């Protein structure tokens, strides 16, 4: 992530370098780059009114201003992502090495990696979804399955209701449906982890009654 000091340095140096070199020696490239930065600002900050013909220096200054006032991007450790995706930390590291977190590279085996929420994740199906969207799904499902204090019989009935809901959704038992799939979407992975947890909890309750 860029710092405020780095952005200020870019603005100051740009005035010296861009005006004195690119603008004079290659005005066509200078104009094309200015227009491209203008388009980028409009696309990433659509509510901002930007004059179409902007000088390159003004474009860079405006980009720095937008970043300065933007909400900070959240980052997640591999451990946090493992819990969110319902997999092991080793699986997250493997996905990073496979390039499934687009544009992100692992910073060594013994370092704590921080993956921004803006990074896109490529599913086995080829679909792409941002880390932020995966986190939102995880938090919504946690809210839907919020734990409340129940007696054993009520707890068992509640678990059976949720398992029945999954069976209706996928058209069979876990072993017949998600458990038999070689490749699953992120939503299916999340459902599978919740379904397995419910089955384990039901098994423990049944054993405790014996």
């Amino acid at each position: 992530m860029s710092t405020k000091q780095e952005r200020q340095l870019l603005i100051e140096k740009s005035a010296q370098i861009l005006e004195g070199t690119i603008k004079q020696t290659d005005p066509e490239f200078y104009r094309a780059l200015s227009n491209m930065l203008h388009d980028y600002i409009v696309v990433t900050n659509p509510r901002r009114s930007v004059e179409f013909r902007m000088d390159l220096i003004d474009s860079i200054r405006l980009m720095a201003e937008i970043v300065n006032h933007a909400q900070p991007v959240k980052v997640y450790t591999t451990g946090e992502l493992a819990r969110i995706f319902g997999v092991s930390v080793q699986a997250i590291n493997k996905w990073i090495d496979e390039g499934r977190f687009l544009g992100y590279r692992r910073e060594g085996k013994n370092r704590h990696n921080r993956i921004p929420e803006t990074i896109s994740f490529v599913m086995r199906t080829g679909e792409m979804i941002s880390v932020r969207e995966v986190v939102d799904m995880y938090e919504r499902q946690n809210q839907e399955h919020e734990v409340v204090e129940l007696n054993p019989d009520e707890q068992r009935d509640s678990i059976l209701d949720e398992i029945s809901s999954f069976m209706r959704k996928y058209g069979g038992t876990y072993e017949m449906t998600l458990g038999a799939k070689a490749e699953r979407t992120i939503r299916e992975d999340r459902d599978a982890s919740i379904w397995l947890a419910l089955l384990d909890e039901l098994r423990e309750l049944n054993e405790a009654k014996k």
Side-chain angles (χ1 to χ4, degrees):
M1 298 291 291
S2 62
T3 66
K4 191 168 185 177
Q5 291 75 18
E6 287 172 336
R7 292 190 286 276
Q8 186 60 40
L9 178 63
L10 177 62
I11 292 170
E12 293 171 358
K13 291 294 183 183
S14 295
Q16 301 169 23
I17 298 170
L18 297 172
E19 292 284 356
T21 56
I22 298 177
K23 190 171 186 179
Q24 293 179 18
T25 61
D26 196 343
E28 186 177 353
F29 173 78
Y30 183 94
R31 184 170 56 254
L33 183 57
S34 297
N35 289 339
M36 184 275 294
L37 285 178
H38 163 271
D39 292 344
Y40 179 79
I41 292 169
V42 171
V43 169
T44 57
N45 198 48
R47 284 177 287 184
R48 181 62 150 233
S49 177
V50 183
E51 184 181 349
F52 180 68
R53 289 291 178 182
M54 291 186 68
D55 187 87
L56 187 54
I57 303 301
D58 293 333
S59 296
I60 293 173
R61 184 176 290 110
L62 181 55
M63 290 182 75
E65 180 188 338
I66 289 172
V67 172
N68 283 340
H69 292 89
Q71 291 293 324
V73 175
K74 291 183 181 179
V75 295
Y76 297 91
T77 65
T78 50
E80 289 172 325
L81 286 184
R83 185 176 69 254
I84 290 167
F85 278 82
V87 297
S88 66
V89 173
Q90 289 77 11
I92 296 294
N93 285 328
K94 183 173 180 288
W95 290 347
I96 293 173
D97 293 339
E98 291 174 347
R100 293 180 64 188
F101 289 96
L102 289 183
Y104 186 83
R105 292 186 178 181
R106 195 146 59 101
E107 301 177 359
K109 294 182 179 179
N110 299 319
R111 294 198 178 183
H112 295 290
N113 290 268
R114 299 286 189 275
I115 301 178
E117 62 179 349
T118 52
I119 289 287
S120 292
F121 176 73
V122 182
M123 295 185 284
R124 294 292 183 192
T125 59
E127 298 174 78
M128 286 191 293
I129 185 171
S130 70
V131 170
R132 181 189 292 123
E133 290 177 287
V134 179
V135 172
D136 288 344
M137 287 165 49
Y138 172 77
E139 290 177 347
R140 282 198 301 271
Q141 287 186 331
N142 275 354
Q143 290 172 358
E144 292 169 4
H145 297 88
E146 187 176 357
V147 177
V148 294
E149 289 296 326
L150 301 172
N151 65 46
D153 288 335
E154 290 173 333
Q155 189 176 0
R156 186 174 184 278
D157 290 341
S158 175
I159 291 170
L160 286 171
D161 285 342
E162 291 191 69
I163 291 174
S164 297
S165 176
F166 279 125
M167 291 178 68
R168 287 192 299 272
K169 180 177 180 179
Y170 290 102
T173 64
Y174 175 82
E175 290 76 12
M176 293 167 55
T177 57
L178 296 184
K181 292 190 73 170
E183 294 184 359
R184 298 189 297 230
T185 66
I186 290 178
R187 288 178 177 83
E188 288 173 339
D189 277 338
R190 295 293 334 145
D191 283 351
S193 64
I194 294 170
W195 199 345
L196 282 174
L198 290 168
L199 291 170
D200 285 342
E201 195 171 354
L202 180 62
R203 191 177 301 111
E204 290 175 4
L205 283 172
N206 289 337
E207 289 175 355
K209 288 187 69 174
K210 292 178 181 179

